[in-house]
Amino acid sequence: MDLIPEFLKDTFNRHYGDNLARILAGLSMTRPVTLRVNTLKISSEQAKSALIKMGFKIKPVGFYADAFIIENAKESELQKTELYLRGEIYLQSLSSMLPPLLLEPKSGENILDMTAAPGGKTCEISVLSGGESLITACERDKIRFDRLKYNVQKQGVPRVNLLCTDALKLDDFLRFDKILLDAPCSGSGTLSPDVPVKISPKLVSNCVVLQKNLLKKALKLLKKGGMLVYSTCSILKEENENVLDAVLSQSGGELMPIDKNRFTCVPELDGMAETVTVCPDELFEGFFLALIKKIK
Ligand code: SAM
């Protein structure tokens, strides 16, 4: 993959040394379509048999019983199905299914999805709580907000308060049981041979400033004892571990170890012990996950 800028290759090399070739190979792979069943509307068994009847070849996903890998079709073919048109399935990358699973949303919990569009994870949070969590989904970009609203409505997700606003301006008196901060990032884990790479050192440093501010704000809005998931689709340590290092101790957050037994099929890169850095490969995009508890 020659399109990756030299500065990025150098950074991957600095961070991951021996794994550079593995990362570059992973980024150049075309991944199969993956989807999550919207169990608010249909059971996994019903969706599975409908897909098989239509001729789709299906594989299960080790860490998520309601998700499938489609081995023999493009997104556009899935998008023509009644299942898709009725919002009974949602096309979503495997890596991006991980943060809501880590958040473990429960019935009655008051949850903030801080940077939410286009809304795959907002809908997943609701689905995982059986439609019983109270979600505030915030997005500052109007066009992306409209997409979020469309997806939430199409998936029939209940109890969601949609806010088209800058999350940094949310009232400091608000308090949430749990927060997902799926932060805006350089996207260094999701580069693909078909799309020109737009990452520059300036873009990365701008993202880092925003990520730190959003994480500080998230910790303000979280109840004491509450849980926060910080995730990015970047594998640059500047946007991940370094952001945590800069913010957590001074903002009352503490890293909680992630139970990796739940995610044994997820390919990992070396990183901070409590966190997970997903290595891009033939199934997964590059991704980063941290579970944080507010201790004071
Ligand atoms: N969680 C989303 C999903 O799974 O569909 C993807 C979120 S995307 C990685 C980050 C989003 O954050 C973008 O839509 C971006 O417009 C939004 N964003 C960036 N800065 C923001 C801010 N200060 N307040 C609210 N949203 C913001």
Side-chain angles (χ1 to χ4, degrees):
M1 187 168 179
D2 290 322
L3 294 173
I4 294 197
E6 280 309 311
F7 96 90
L8 210 49
K9 282 190 197 163
D10 288 346
T11 316
F12 289 155
N13 191 34
R14 214 169 356 98
H15 291 169
Y16 301 110
D18 289 350
N19 280 304
L20 175 65
R22 182 176 162 222
I23 292 169
L24 297 181
L27 289 173
S28 71
M29 284 172 183
T30 308
R31 282 169 274 278
V33 182
T34 50
L35 63 85
R36 185 173 53 69
V37 178
N38 178 8
T39 53
L40 297 175
K41 289 197 173 202
I42 191 174
S43 73
S44 292
E45 291 69 30
Q46 285 172 307
K48 185 176 169 184
S49 56
L51 288 164
I52 291 171
K53 237 187 222 156
M54 285 182 269
F56 293 108
K57 270 186 82 185
I58 289 183
K59 262 179 68 177
V61 175
F63 59 84
Y64 198 166
D66 298 323
F68 298 114
I69 300 163
I70 309 293
E71 291 188 295
N72 62 339
K74 294 196 210 102
E75 276 196 7
S76 56
E77 293 167 65
L78 267 304
Q79 282 164 343
K80 285 183 201 129
T81 64
E82 285 297 316
L83 287 173
Y84 179 86
L85 296 170
R86 288 195 296 254
E88 292 167 349
I89 55 171
Y90 190 90
L91 307 189
Q92 191 171 342
S93 79
L94 293 186
S95 296
S96 86
M97 294 177 196
L98 296 169
L101 288 170
L102 202 56
L103 198 64
E104 297 190 291
K106 303 270 179 353
S107 171
E109 284 176 344
N110 195 8
I111 299 178
L112 173 64
D113 187 355
M114 210 166 168
T115 53
K121 297 184 192 74
T122 309
C123 297
E124 189 183 338
I125 289 170
S126 180
V127 165
L128 290 171
S129 71
E132 297 291 338
S133 55
L134 313 164
I135 303 173
T136 300
C138 178
E139 169 59 48
R140 78 169 174 191
D141 180 288
K142 175 72 176 94
I143 293 170
R144 290 178 65 85
F145 175 80
D146 288 343
R147 193 72 205 164
L148 166 68
K149 192 169 166 189
Y150 170 83
N151 280 328
V152 163
Q153 283 170 353
K154 182 175 173 186
Q155 304 282 306
V157 170
R159 301 179 178 82
V160 184
N161 176 23
L162 296 170
L163 297 177
C164 184
T165 190
D166 183 338
L168 296 171
K169 295 190 178 145
L170 288 171
D171 193 322
D172 277 342
F173 288 106
L174 293 169
R175 283 295 172 272
F176 295 91
D177 299 310
K178 289 182 177 170
I179 297 181
L180 172 63
L181 172 53
D182 186 40
C185 71
S186 67
S188 73
T190 59
L191 304 177
S192 107
D194 319 322
V195 187
V197 179
K198 290 195 195 126
I199 304 178
S200 64
K202 180 80 187 134
L203 174 81
V204 174
S205 59
N206 287 345
C207 286
V208 169
V209 172
L210 188 52
Q211 287 155 352
K212 286 180 183 167
N213 288 334
L214 284 165
L215 184 54
K216 278 183 212 158
K217 182 75 181 184
L219 282 160
K220 251 188 210 150
L221 300 176
L222 192 60
K223 280 185 190 163
K224 195 173 159 194
M227 302 302 284
L228 160 69
V229 170
Y230 176 81
S231 58
T232 71
C233 58
S234 176
I235 53 171
L236 295 176
K237 291 185 188 278
E238 287 87 339
E239 300 182 82
N240 299 330
E241 283 96 331
N242 297 3
V243 169
L244 302 179
D245 272 341
V247 174
L248 288 194
S249 57
Q250 47 151 304
S251 306
E254 189 172 279
L255 274 174
M256 293 286 113
I258 292 175
D259 176 9
K260 298 195 180 179
N261 291 324
R262 291 177 66 194
F263 305 118
T264 44
C265 60
V266 176
E268 264 199 78
L269 288 166
D270 286 343
M272 223 180 228
E274 297 89 344
T275 64
V276 170
T277 305
V278 182
C279 184
D281 76 355
E282 71 278 7
L283 284 178
F284 288 84
E285 294 174 330
F287 216 81
F288 177 82
L289 294 153
L291 180 63
I292 297 157
K293 184 171 183 174
K294 180 160 170 175
I295 50 163
K296 55 178 191 247

